Amino acid sequence: MQEFIIVISCVLLLAMVFSKIAYRFGIPSLILFLGMGMLFGSDGIVKIHFDDFVIAEQICSFALLMIIFYGGFETNWNKAKPVVIKSVIMSTVGTFITAGLTGLFCFYILKMSFWEAMLIGSVLSSTDAASVFSILKSNNLNFKFGLASLLEMESGSNDPMSYMLSVICIQILTMQSSTSIPLLLIKQVVFGVGIGILSAYLCIIILKRFELHATGLYPIFMLGMVLFSFEISLALGGNGYICAYLFGIIIGNQSFPHKKSIRLFFDGIGWLMQILLFFTLGLLSFPSQFVYNFIPGLFIAMFITFIARPIATALLFTPFHMPFQHQLLVNWVGFRGAASIAFSIMAVSKIPALENDLFHIVFLVSIFTVTLQGTLLPLVARKLNLVEEEESVWKTFTDYEEGHLSQLYEMIITSGHDWENKKIMEANIDKNLLIVGVKRGNQMLMPKGDLCLETNDTIIFSQRDV
């Protein structure tokens, strides 16, 4: 027991170091947390042997539930409302098109069996919400024309569709389905949506009418409601992830007592679940198997990035007269991640005799896409001239509204200051500090991320209460 606690404490402390590195250099935290899991795994330095896909599925299911709920909770409905139709179309029809095209590529080009190819396409059809949110926040990267809200809502809401497609493929491959596919889809949507909406409004009524005797009990009550609605939805044949996401959106955009303490609690839970999820996935992987799956993983990653998602985007957004430049950015923010790997674990746990190493193929695709697209996203957005310099990306999240900006402060960069001769994006500035201007001599400069701070610059900033 003592050794177990020491290992857990080391993992958490290392995760803090890695998250700091990820925040400073704009690297998706998924990559570093996965690497940490691999470091502790059978092929790593610590040599912890873990290959139980059933336990891993249970861990990932719970962690993914918390991440999806908090993704909904953070979504600012006022900012998302103008793009909700596009987001929903992309997260449903777009996910279906991406899954189908990827499956056909695996079937015809990589010569996989048809339904196994479709299973790979299904688990890889959703984008990674945790990485999208993390990259936008760590770089304070907002996009023009509401594209940030569109991409946040799409990435947060396409996991349920990917889950449904994966479940259908698994049931076909295992021949376990006694229910018709159309009826299965209807139950997934109807009960998932219905239970999510009912649970959210029931929760709001309880929070407004009944007072608990301690502030710390409110987050626990909310956690219980999330778990209860998720399990009820599953029991009725509904999609638990749709339920959790809708629950999060509704509850996150309502006013009720102790909302701030609940948000802070779930912010911490969200980070803990990301660490748990990515570390478990890294621990479960065997890097020695990467060499056998490198080529198919690379080919699938390139196909999704440069063919499947662009086709889906063009088919769905061209009728809306979305400019090609905007479509290119939407295409680029299509990296795979935690949900895809978690769904591959679900598949392997239920179909151990798959012909292909599904888990490691999906694992590699996620690493390829997040590393390439996630790391280069700020550069690509600036090249496309779609970065919104005037408005913080935090306004697209509900936690921005819950804090408030206090009065303006001034600070002079003195010789030897930590920020001296550093770009704003590289200066490791606390995310609760919002720089609104930089005065240099008689000039007032816009605080862009690539602006280099110099000695005697006057920084004008405000501090957001949390």
Side-chain angles (χ1 to χ4, degrees):
M1 184 63 181
Q2 188 177 32
E3 293 179 354
F4 176 76
I5 294 175
I6 291 174
V7 170
I8 294 297
S9 63
C10 289
V11 168
L12 294 177
L13 293 173
L14 278 174
M16 297 304 99
V17 174
F18 287 164
S19 65
K20 190 73 172 178
I21 294 172
Y23 181 84
R24 179 163 186 174
F25 295 102
I27 302 171
S29 56
L30 175 149
I31 298 297
L32 297 181
F33 294 157
L34 284 175
M36 185 171 64
M38 293 160 61
L39 186 69
F40 277 74
S42 298
D43 289 350
I45 297 175
V46 183
K47 302 292 183 184
I48 297 176
H49 184 76
F50 179 67
D51 60 356
D52 193 323
F53 280 85
V54 176
I55 293 178
E57 181 196 359
Q58 295 170 351
I59 293 173
C60 292
S61 177
F62 177 75
L64 198 58
L65 165 63
M66 293 293 103
I67 292 171
I68 288 175
F69 164 74
Y70 190 55
F73 191 91
E74 281 195 297
T75 300
N76 187 325
W77 181 248
N78 290 329
K79 293 289 183 180
K81 190 160 41 176
V83 296
V84 67
I85 295 177
K86 294 178 183 177
S87 299
V88 170
I89 290 175
M90 192 63 186
S91 66
T92 52
V93 182
T95 301
F96 180 81
I97 293 173
T98 303
L101 291 175
T102 305
L104 292 175
F105 173 78
C106 293
F107 176 65
Y108 285 109
I109 305 301
L110 300 183
K111 305 301 180 183
M112 298 180 182
S113 62
F114 180 78
W115 283 112
E116 194 166 323
M118 288 300 164
L119 176 60
I120 290 179
S122 297
V123 301
L124 284 170
S125 59
S126 68
T127 55
D128 185 55
S131 290
V132 171
F133 294 168
S134 175
I135 291 169
L136 294 184
K137 285 185 173 182
S138 64
N139 291 279
N140 194 20
L141 189 63
N142 198 7
F143 302 133
K144 298 176 181 177
F145 310 108
L147 290 175
S149 292
L150 187 154
L151 291 165
E152 289 161 12
M153 192 166 191
E154 184 227 339
S155 64
S157 61
N158 59 15
D159 291 342
M161 183 65 177
S162 178
Y163 173 79
M164 282 195 294
L165 294 174
S166 300
V167 167
I168 290 171
C169 291
I170 289 171
Q171 294 202 352
I172 291 173
L173 283 167
T174 56
M175 295 179 291
Q176 292 179 347
S177 179
S178 59
T179 307
S180 68
I181 298 303
L183 182 58
L184 176 66
L185 286 172
I186 292 172
K187 289 176 65 178
Q188 286 264 311
V189 174
V190 170
F191 287 114
V193 172
I195 298 298
I197 293 173
L198 290 174
S199 299
Y201 283 108
L202 175 62
C203 184
I204 292 167
I205 291 171
I206 294 173
L207 287 170
K208 288 183 175 181
R209 295 189 179 183
F210 300 95
E211 183 176 351
L212 300 176
H213 64 274
T215 302
L217 293 176
Y218 285 90
I220 297 174
F221 167 75
M222 184 67 71
L223 176 62
M225 286 295 298
V226 174
L227 295 174
F228 177 77
S229 61
F230 178 77
E231 290 298 335
I232 290 294
S233 178
L234 291 181
L236 295 174
N239 189 308
Y241 296 115
I242 289 180
C243 175
Y245 187 69
L246 283 176
F247 188 109
I249 287 181
I250 295 170
I251 205 79
N253 286 274
Q254 296 286 328
S255 297
F256 51 85
H258 303 285
K259 184 179 179 182
K260 186 175 180 179
S261 64
I262 291 173
R263 180 186 66 76
L264 292 173
F265 173 82
F266 277 98
D267 186 56
I269 289 292
W271 274 107
L272 181 61
M273 291 301 103
Q274 286 189 52
I275 295 169
L276 175 64
L277 176 60
F278 298 147
F279 179 80
T280 300
L281 299 177
L283 194 67
L284 190 62
S285 70
F286 288 82
S288 59
Q289 298 297 314
F290 288 170
V291 64
Y292 304 109
N293 299 287
F294 183 84
I295 297 300
L298 178 62
F299 282 1
I300 294 172
M302 294 301 102
F303 179 82
I304 292 176
T305 302
F306 297 108
I307 298 178
R309 184 169 172 85
I311 289 176
T313 303
L315 289 174
L316 299 178
F317 287 160
T318 300
F320 286 95
H321 305 290
M322 176 182 280
F324 181 66
Q325 189 179 12
H326 299 186
Q327 293 185 32
L328 287 177
L329 182 64
V330 173
N331 292 338
W332 195 255
V333 189
F335 27 93
R336 315 296 117 171
S340 295
I341 305 175
F343 296 155
S344 74
I345 291 175
M346 175 182 70
V348 172
S349 68
K350 291 177 170 54
I351 319 173
L354 287 169
E355 295 177 8
N356 298 278
D357 190 348
L358 176 66
F359 171 72
H360 284 100
I361 289 175
V362 173
F363 193 97
L364 284 168
V365 171
S366 300
I367 291 178
F368 288 147
T369 56
V370 172
T371 302
L372 174 67
Q373 296 166 261
T375 304
L376 295 180
L377 176 57
L379 175 64
V380 170
R382 288 188 171 87
K383 289 293 183 182
L384 293 173
N385 194 30
L386 289 174
V387 175
E388 176 59 77
E389 303 286 3
E390 304 294 332
E391 191 172 74
S392 171
V393 73
W394 289 86
K395 288 188 177 182
T396 64
F397 297 96
T398 53
D399 55 346
Y400 179 88
E401 295 183 342
E402 291 180 9
H404 65 273
L405 297 176
S406 56
Q407 66 187 69
L408 294 177
Y409 299 92
E410 290 187 358
M411 180 186 69
I412 297 176
I413 302 294
T414 57
S415 179
H417 193 280
D418 289 343
W419 299 354
E420 183 185 19
N421 298 324
K422 289 184 180 179
K423 295 180 180 179
I424 290 178
M425 69 175 68
E426 299 171 347
N428 196 25
I429 299 171
D430 192 298
K431 68 180 183 180
N432 295 316
L433 297 181
L434 178 63
I435 297 179
V436 297
V438 177
K439 187 176 181 182
R440 182 173 296 165
N442 295 322
Q443 289 182 304
M444 182 61 73
L445 306 177
M446 287 294 297
K448 297 182 179 180
D450 58 355
L451 177 64
C452 187
L453 301 176
E454 299 178 0
T455 308
N456 296 324
D457 281 351
T458 299
I459 310 300
I460 302 170
F461 65 95
S462 90
Q463 186 168 3
R464 187 168 64 90
D465 296 337
V466 293

